[in-house]
Structure formats: C-alpha cells, structure tokens
Amino acid sequence: MTVTAPKGFRAAGVAAGLKRSGALDLALVVNDGPSSAAAAVFTSNRAKANPILWSQQVIADGAVSAIVLNSGGANCFTGAQGFQTTHATAEGVAEALQISAGDVLVCSTGLIGEQLDRDALLSGVAAAAAGLGPHGDAAARAIMTTDSVSKTVVVEGPGYTIGGMAKGAGMLAPGLATMLVVLTTDADLPAAELDRALRAATRVSFDRLDSDGCMSTNDQVTLMASGASGVTPETDAFTLLLVDACMSLALQLQADAEGASHDIQIHVRGAASEDDAVEVGRSIARNNLFKAAVFGNDPNWGRVLAAIGTTSAAFDPYAVDVSMNGVRVCHAGAPDRPRDDVDLSPRTVILELELHAGDHAAMILTNDLTHDYVHENSAYAS
Amino acid sequence: MTVTAPKGFRAAGVAAGLKRSGALDLALVVNDGPSSAAAAVFTSNRAKANPILWSQQVIADGAVSAIVLNSGGANCFTGAQGFQTTHATAEGVAEALQISAGDVLVCSTGLIGEQLDRDALLSGVAAAAAGLGPHGDAAARAIMTTDSVSKTVVVEGPGYTIGGMAKGAGMLAPGLATMLVVLTTDADLPAAELDRALRAATRVSFDRLDSDGCMSTNDQVTLMASGASGVTPETDAFTLLLVDACMSLALQLQADAEGASHDIQIHVRGAASEDDAVEVGRSIARNNLFKAAVFGNDPNWGRVLAAIGTTSAAFDPYAVDVSMNGVRVCHAGAPDRPRDDVDLSPRTVILELELHAGDHAAMILTNDLTHDYVHENSAYAS
C-alpha cells in the first residue's frame, strides 16, 4: 500500500516509455484531502534540476495536491526546453485532475543532460491520472532506476498512518542522498508543523546516509498530509514516528546501494559536538581506501585514523579508540587486539569510534567500494 | 643518477628485510656539503606518523645532513615504541656517519598500525651507510611500495643541477599526496630561500595531484642543498626549475596511480580566484561517479556539473561550459555537441571547464576509478 496506506491518497504507476526497457517509469500520487498541507526538502547541490527549481516554487505556500515523478531522465542541465517540459508535466497533471498546476510537485531521476520525451511524458501523465487508485506499490516501482527492489514503508500512529516510498541506489550522499521520497499521512497537521517534523526527521536519517560521497541534482523528500483521519497528533510524537519511517527507508536505500557488498554503520561517540561526530563519520564514509579494504574483508583501521585526521573536529588522533565488529583494534592511537581477530565477512559492518572529546554522538551509514560499484557506474549511461 | 646527480650527494638503497619480498626497502641520502641547508614540507593530516613528528623537529633549524627512508611499514599509530624506533633510526645514521641525529630526517611508508622490525631497520641503516656512493637509482627503487616503476628526475640549471626521486601510487591527495620525495641540488641557497622555493613548487605540483582524495599520514617532500656547485641562483629562477622537477615527478606519480587506466587533467578556467579554481577541480577529482564513468569511456558530463555544484566557489552552474577531449559537450549549462563525439579511449583525458566568473585558473591531476583500484586497495594489507 505504501503511500496509499493513509486515508485520502490515490496513486498510480505507469509505463510512459521513458525507459527503453518498457518498465514502469511514471508515478502519480494525489492527495484528496480534506487538507492539502505539505512540506518538502531539496538537494543542497547548487546545480539543481528543472523539477527542483519548479517544486521549490510550488511548496512555498505549503499546499500540494499532487506529486508526479518520472524515472528515465533527470531533466537537469537541459536548458529552457527542459524547464518547459517540467512545467508542461505539472500542467498535464493539473488539467487531468482539475487542480492548479501551482499545487503539483514534479520530480525526475535518471541521466543528466538529456531531454525527456515530452510527448511520452504527457501521455503517461494522462494514463496515470486515469488509473488512480490504491496503487502505492506500482507507484513505488515506477520511480526505480538502478534500484533492484522498491522501497516502501507503512507505520501506524494512534489513529493515523504514515506511508512512504523511496528510490535511490547510487549517488547517495547527504543533502540529501540521490533519492526521491514521498511520504504521506492522514494526520491533520498544518504545513509549518509538517515542515518542522520533516526537517528533523531527514536530518537524522537521509542526511546520515553517505554511500559514495556524491550529491545529486534532483533529490527531493516530500511529505503530504490529507487530514483524512481527523487526528491531530502532537508534533513531537508525529516527528518520532516520521523518523521511524524515514530511517526504515534510509536503511533500505543503504542495503540496495549500487554494487555494495557490505553495509557499514559508523558510530562516532565521545565527540565535542554532534557536528563534529557527523564530520568524523563522513570523512570515513568518503574514504575510498577504507571502503575498498572493507570490500576485501581487511580490517585496516589505519585508514580510519588517516581519514579522520583530515577533519577539523576537536579530538586528539592519539587518544582515539577504534573497534570493528566488536573487536577493539586500536586503543589510544596504538594497536590493541590483533586485526586478525576481526571478522568482516558478515554483510553488516559495525565501526565504532570513541574520540574521548565530549558527550556527543552520531551514526553515519555507508557502503563498501566494490568492483560492482565501479562497473555499474561506468556503464550507467549505456 | 637522480638524487646523486647534483655534486655533493651520496646515496644507497639496500634490502633491510622489512619487505617480505626481499626487495630493496631502505634508502639513505647524504649531503656532504659544504652547505647543509634544507627545507621540507609535511602532510597536513592531523594524524601524523612518527617519522613526521621527528622530522618536523629536525628541519626546524634548516640544516640536514642526511635523510633515511624505509618502505615496508609506515610507523604510524604505533605508540611510544614506534617513536623510539624512529629515534633509533636517526641515531643509527648519525653514529655511522659521525653526524648529529638532530640533522637526520626520517621517512617511512607502508601499512599503518604495525611496528617496524627495529633490528632489521638498524642493520639496514648500517649496510646503507657502508654502501654510500652515486647510487641514486637504487635509493629510488628502495622507497617503492605499490609503485610499479621508480620515479626520478634530473634538471639542469645554469651551473647547478636539481635531482629528485619520489614514491607514491595510492592515497594520492593534496596536502601532500601519499608521497615521499627527496630533491637535491648543488646550488648554494640558504634554508629560508629553499623553503620559499619548495613551498611555491609543491603548491602547484604535488598539491594539485588528487588521485583518490585520500590523504596520507606520512607525506614528506624534502629539498637539500649542498652548495657544491658554488653557484647561487636567483630564487625565482631556481623556483621555476624546481617547479619543473616537481611537476615531472607529480606526472610520474599520476601515471603510476594504483589501478588507474586513465590520467585525467582537469583544467578549470574563468574562476573568480585561484582557490575557487582549485576547489572546483578537486570536487571533480573526488567524484567517484565521474571517475567510474571515465573508466567506462563514458563522457558523462552531467556528473561534472553535479560535482561542482557542491562547491562554494563563485560561479553560476548554468553558465558553465564543459569540454572533454576537445569536444564541448555542455554550453551554458545545456547540452552542446553530442556526447558520442567524445573519444575517451586515450589514456590521457583532458577535461576543460570555463566558469565565466573571472580570470583565474588551475589544473588538477587525477585518475579514473577502476576495478584494479578497488582490487589493489582491498588487498593491500595481505
């Protein structure tokens, strides 16, 4: 059910012909209300795709009636023609649903620098609008690119529901990762509360996922509330439930990262601030040498220390403890238990750092660097 | 001849038994004067190896009589025992040559977090001291780790010579790259002038080499001047010659980067400042997706724009021109000539960006991300 699990939402997923394979490539999610409150966060990349430029205007008033998403092309760096395609897509949805184009968010994902087939896209929009129903699963499949599985979530609150779908498998880095995420709820909350909850939830979930350090041009996470449950939860309680939904989707994205053979959890503790903990974690998540070593099941903790030494976080590199899968291999900047004691064969790798510089902590999620990662990303355009 | 090409220098390269293979693994370079002026630059990584901590003290007075370098172990994060090993190495050289240990630089390279075999090291020092001569080539081979070839240079000035050797194949990132470099000259210049020349030369050569974004704990570039030519050049003219020598070595390092199949030159032009140009170039050099695309001969210029959009440099992403191997594939943020016109099959790839934001420029050197890179770095410790 995913995005159609909460009351007040319909969805569709169709094959518009944007993917050469003929697979589903266009999703439409409609909020039938009574509320049309919504919030969205966007990539922090300065190179923003046309649908981002459009959607940032749409969300400004906090009201959204529908969101249309296509795979098969990012519509980024496609000039005026590309922006017109995004605009025409929103207009197509508006016409089919008898709503305002200014209440229609647009998302695109795929190759940068290629024009989308506008006719195919608009035909797909018409077909999706005609096929709307409880089709959250089809919508979730329609936004997949190199994803091997669709990512969905449903969590239940007291009297209301949150549903969600996500796509993302490569170019996963914070701010956000390369992801399109649509979250729906039948809770009744105003746009400002949704915005606060969404920013709080993405900060500790999607923004902590850093598969390959590469930031996309098209990321968008949207939350729409229909109010159809008639329940108005406390924002804090709603936020916790939303964090749960977002973390579930983030872990699904990590588990399906392109070519990965290990899911790495980097737990940084004893930091002087949360920002420091995040910076330290990210420096490891972006270190190709460490990530290649994990691929080879090599507990090369020296590369961890070499990575964190490049940060400006407050700690003494010679006071740091490092554990890998429960074995403390480095204590106070010197060798501790033998590296041969570490078993890196499980898919999940737990890397723990104690900085001894304070009381703050953060977890960063990443993956190893593999032959398959290189292969998939060398062949993406073909 | 390399480091022994200038008058006043002797060198040796011996097998001390630090490498399991039995290959040469210890180099000694001695300055017989009359001058002992020297300068050195070190890694900017806060996680510094024991030989770095030692050498930073030695260079403080601008006088160096000898430098000893070992491969087969980085002596980093090895605690007090590791620092004592570095100290003992310098003492060993001092005793053999009847000089002060405070005039002996020490460099190490290899795996982090493992103790060096001190007895083997000291035996090697004694053997090297006994075998000193015009053996720059053997010294250059003794500092190799995963290098497939030794890197050497000799450039001639008016009445004086600069010689050099370098090692480095992985973990190549600025500040410096993972490199040990020894430059020698028989020019007669005081330490302060050598320091100024060396910093100017490394800034535009080794600091512009960014193979994989990973910064080492052990980097050191040393320049020693014997004054044996009796010639005191203008510092500016000497600096230009030194840049030539450093750039030659940097290009040799790039060409031998672990597992690389393409050498990528990133020319950033039209930047508002040189710092901006460098930041933009580095953002591309560290983008795994772009580098994997180059490995696959895929001119995916969208990934270039997605990378530079993450920088804080002053430019409009929608005003940028991008050319690959002479074909302008992106003009003003929109597609220009077809990507199929780009031939990425040559080893050297020329990526040119025009930011249209000013008059500054910089070149960054990097490599593609390949199966072999992943393989070599997953198996390093074994």
Side-chain angles (χ1 to χ4, degrees):
Chain A
M1 292 292 284
T2 77
V3 293
T4 48
K7 289 189 280 286
F9 290 94
R10 289 176 296 155
V14 301
L18 304 170
K19 285 182 183 163
R20 294 177 207 171
S21 65
L24 299 182
D25 52 17
L26 188 134
L28 179 62
V29 182
V30 177
N31 180 359
D32 290 321
S35 172
S36 62
V41 293
F42 302 94
T43 181
S44 56
N45 199 318
R46 294 161 58 202
K48 294 184 203 303
N50 288 308
I52 298 292
L53 300 174
W54 170 264
S55 295
Q56 286 181 319
Q57 300 304 314
V58 169
I59 199 65
D61 67 356
V64 170
S65 299
I67 182 168
V68 55
L69 313 93
N70 75 272
S71 49
N75 196 0
C76 182
F77 292 113
T78 45
Q81 182 184 341
F83 189 80
Q84 288 158 10
T85 296
T86 293
H87 187 192
T89 306
E91 292 280 3
V93 171
E95 190 174 335
L97 301 178
Q98 294 295 300
I99 57 177
S100 162
D103 290 336
V104 180
L105 294 170
V106 181
C107 296
S108 299
T109 181
L111 190 63
I112 297 173
E114 300 279 340
Q115 298 292 347
L116 286 172
D117 181 336
R118 195 183 298 176
D119 291 340
L121 193 56
L122 294 179
S123 299
V125 165
L132 285 167
H135 309 312
D137 290 327
R141 288 200 303 279
I143 60 174
M144 290 166 60
T145 51
T146 55
D147 306 70
S148 68
V149 293
S150 64
K151 286 90 175 174
T152 64
V153 68
V154 176
V155 294
E156 299 287 347
Y160 67 96
T161 302
I162 298 175
M165 65 179 188
K167 90 98 205 173
M171 205 187 268
L172 289 171
L176 312 162
T178 292
M179 54 178 60
L180 299 180
V181 178
V182 177
L183 296 152
T184 55
T185 183
D186 47 18
D188 189 14
L189 285 166
E193 296 298 296
L194 296 175
D195 186 71
R196 194 192 310 172
L198 184 62
R199 288 179 192 282
T202 55
R203 189 177 70 84
V204 296
S205 56
F206 300 122
D207 280 352
R208 298 283 168 87
L209 176 63
D210 197 336
S211 176
D212 61 8
C214 296
M215 189 192 293
S216 159
T217 52
N218 286 61
D219 304 325
Q220 184 170 336
V221 177
T222 299
L223 170 61
M224 298 191 288
S226 68
S229 70
V231 174
T232 299
E234 291 291 322
T235 304
D236 286 354
F238 178 79
T239 301
L240 285 178
L241 208 65
L242 192 64
V243 167
D244 187 20
C246 289
M247 190 57 85
S248 166
L249 291 172
L251 289 167
Q252 291 177 60
L253 292 170
Q254 180 192 28
D256 196 29
E258 282 173 352
S261 69
H262 288 86
D263 301 331
I264 308 173
Q265 295 175 15
I266 304 170
H267 298 267
V268 182
R269 305 190 182 107
S273 68
E274 185 180 326
D275 284 351
D276 274 8
V278 170
E279 182 187 2
V280 165
R282 282 190 183 152
S283 74
I284 302 164
R286 295 177 177 185
N287 189 278
N288 280 350
L289 291 170
F290 170 70
K291 289 151 70 94
V294 171
F295 167 60
N297 293 342
D298 169 16
N300 194 324
W301 57 267
R303 291 176 177 175
V304 172
L305 289 165
I308 70 176
T310 65
T311 69
S312 58
F315 66 91
D316 175 0
Y318 287 92
V320 172
D321 300 333
V322 181
S323 296
M324 300 183 77
N325 282 356
V327 178
R328 196 176 71 176
V329 285
C330 173
H331 174 56
D336 193 8
R337 287 179 56 190
R339 63 180 81 208
D340 290 347
D341 288 1
V342 180
D343 177 11
L344 291 183
S345 59
R347 168 102 190 178
T348 297
V349 172
I350 311 288
L351 177 68
E352 294 169 290
L353 278 81
E354 173 54 60
L355 301 183
H356 294 291
D359 297 325
H360 294 271
M363 177 178 73
I364 298 289
L365 304 172
T366 190
N367 298 97
D368 54 351
L369 179 62
T370 69
H371 291 302
D372 286 347
Y373 176 90
V374 174
H375 178 72
E376 292 194 26
N377 285 298
S378 64
Y380 183 79
S382 59
Chain B
M1 292 290 283
T2 79
V3 292
T4 48
K7 289 189 278 286
F9 290 93
R10 290 176 295 155
V14 301
L18 304 171
K19 284 181 182 163
R20 294 176 206 171
S21 65
L24 301 182
D25 53 18
L26 187 135
L28 181 61
V29 182
V30 177
N31 180 358
D32 290 320
S35 172
S36 62
V41 292
F42 302 93
T43 182
S44 55
N45 199 318
R46 293 161 60 202
K48 294 184 203 302
N50 287 308
I52 298 292
L53 300 174
W54 171 264
S55 295
Q56 285 181 318
Q57 300 304 313
V58 168
I59 200 65
D61 68 355
V64 170
S65 298
I67 182 168
V68 55
L69 313 92
N70 75 271
S71 48
N75 196 1
C76 181
F77 291 112
T78 46
Q81 183 183 341
F83 189 80
Q84 288 159 10
T85 296
T86 293
H87 188 192
T89 306
E91 291 283 2
V93 171
E95 190 175 335
L97 301 178
Q98 294 294 301
I99 58 177
S100 162
D103 290 337
V104 180
L105 294 172
V106 181
C107 298
S108 299
T109 181
L111 190 63
I112 296 173
E114 300 279 339
Q115 297 292 347
L116 286 171
D117 180 336
R118 196 183 299 176
D119 291 340
L121 194 57
L122 294 178
S123 298
V125 165
L132 285 166
H135 308 313
D137 290 327
R141 288 200 303 279
I143 59 174
M144 291 166 59
T145 51
T146 54
D147 306 70
S148 68
V149 293
S150 64
K151 286 90 176 176
T152 65
V153 69
V154 176
V155 294
E156 298 287 346
Y160 67 95
T161 301
I162 298 175
M165 65 180 188
K167 91 97 204 172
M171 207 187 270
L172 290 170
L176 312 160
T178 292
M179 53 177 61
L180 300 180
V181 179
V182 178
L183 296 152
T184 55
T185 182
D186 48 17
D188 190 13
L189 285 166
E193 296 298 297
L194 296 176
D195 186 71
R196 193 191 313 173
L198 184 61
R199 289 180 191 280
T202 56
R203 188 176 70 84
V204 296
S205 57
F206 300 123
D207 280 352
R208 298 283 168 88
L209 177 63
D210 196 336
S211 176
D212 61 8
C214 295
M215 190 192 293
S216 159
T217 52
N218 286 60
D219 303 325
Q220 184 170 335
V221 177
T222 299
L223 170 61
M224 298 190 288
S226 69
S229 70
V231 174
T232 297
E234 292 292 323
T235 303
D236 287 354
F238 178 80
T239 300
L240 285 178
L241 209 66
L242 192 63
V243 168
D244 187 19
C246 289
M247 190 56 86
S248 167
L249 291 172
L251 288 168
Q252 291 177 61
L253 292 170
Q254 180 193 27
D256 197 29
E258 281 174 353
S261 69
H262 288 87
D263 300 333
I264 308 172
Q265 295 176 15
I266 303 169
H267 298 268
V268 181
R269 305 191 181 105
S273 69
E274 186 179 326
D275 284 350
D276 274 7
V278 169
E279 183 188 1
V280 166
R282 281 190 183 152
S283 73
I284 302 164
R286 294 178 177 185
N287 189 278
N288 280 350
L289 291 171
F290 170 70
K291 290 152 70 94
V294 171
F295 166 60
N297 293 343
D298 169 17
N300 194 325
W301 57 267
R303 291 175 177 174
V304 172
L305 289 166
I308 69 176
T310 65
T311 69
S312 58
F315 67 89
D316 174 0
Y318 287 92
V320 172
D321 299 334
V322 180
S323 296
M324 300 184 77
N325 282 357
V327 177
R328 196 176 71 174
V329 285
C330 172
H331 174 56
D336 193 9
R337 287 178 56 190
R339 65 179 79 208
D340 289 349
D341 288 2
V342 179
D343 178 12
L344 291 182
S345 60
R347 168 102 191 176
T348 297
V349 172
I350 311 288
L351 176 68
E352 295 169 287
L353 276 82
E354 172 55 60
L355 301 183
H356 295 291
D359 297 325
H360 295 270
M363 178 178 72
I364 298 289
L365 304 172
T366 191
N367 298 98
D368 53 352
L369 178 62
T370 69
H371 291 302
D372 286 349
Y373 175 90
V374 173
H375 177 73
E376 291 193 27
N377 286 298
S378 64
Y380 183 79
S382 59

